C-alpha cells in the first residue's frame, strides 16, 4: 500500500499472540494499568484488545501469527526524574 491517506483506517493495533489470554490480560490490566476495549467471543474469549499509554494491543489466544523475535514493549515516563530502568517480564516471556 503506497497511499498513506486511506480514509477507512481509523486506528492501529499491535498483534500479540499468546497461549494464555487470561494470564496476559491480568498482566496488562492489573499490573500495568491497561484498559480492556474489546473482548470476544463472550462465552470463550480468544481475542482481547487493551489500550494504555497510547498503545493498543490485540491479544490473540493461540494466534497464528508467529513473532519474528523477542517482543519488547517500552513504556516511558514523561518526567525523566521518575524514569525507572526496570524490566518486567510478561507471562509469555516478553520484556516490558
Amino acid at each position: 500500500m503506497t497511499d498513506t491517506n486511506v480514509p477507512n483506517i481509523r486506528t492501529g493495533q499491535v498483534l500479540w499472540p499468546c497461549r494464555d489470554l487470561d494470564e496476559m490480560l491480568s498482566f496488562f490490566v492489573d499490573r500495568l494499568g491497561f484498559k480492556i476495549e474489546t473482548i470476544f467471543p463472550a462465552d470463550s474469549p480468544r481475542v482481547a484488545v487493551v489500550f494504555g499509554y497510547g498503545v493498543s494491543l490485540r491479544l490473540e489466544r493461540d494466534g497464528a501469527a508467529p513473532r519474528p523475535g523477542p517482543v519488547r514493549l517500552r513504556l516511558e515516563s514523561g518526567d525523566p526524574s521518575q524514569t525507572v530502568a526496570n524490566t518486567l517480564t510478561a507471562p509469555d516471556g516478553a520484556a516490558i
Side-chain angles (χ1 to χ4, degrees):
M1 178 182 340
T2 58
D3 184 2
T4 57
N5 189 18
V6 181
N8 294 332
I9 296 176
R10 58 182 175 83
T11 189
Q13 298 174 347
V14 175
L15 175 60
W16 197 304
C18 58
R19 288 198 170 111
D20 188 327
L21 184 60
D22 290 336
E23 192 175 49
M24 290 298 284
L25 270 175
S26 177
F27 177 77
F28 280 105
V29 173
D30 300 335
R31 184 134 188 218
L32 294 177
F34 279 67
K35 304 293 182 202
I36 297 174
E37 288 188 336
T38 304
I39 190 164
F40 59 91
D43 55 346
S44 181
R46 297 189 58 79
V47 175
V49 177
V50 296
F51 182 81
Y53 314 105
V55 177
S56 185
L57 304 174
R58 182 184 177 99
L59 306 174
E60 291 189 4
R61 182 168 47 108
D62 299 325
R67 286 193 289 257
V71 173
R72 293 185 60 90
L73 177 61
R74 183 177 171 96
L75 301 175
E76 295 185 359
S77 170
D79 180 356
S81 69
Q82 298 297 316
T83 299
V84 177
N86 191 14
T87 300
L88 299 175
T89 302
D92 68 351
I96 311 294

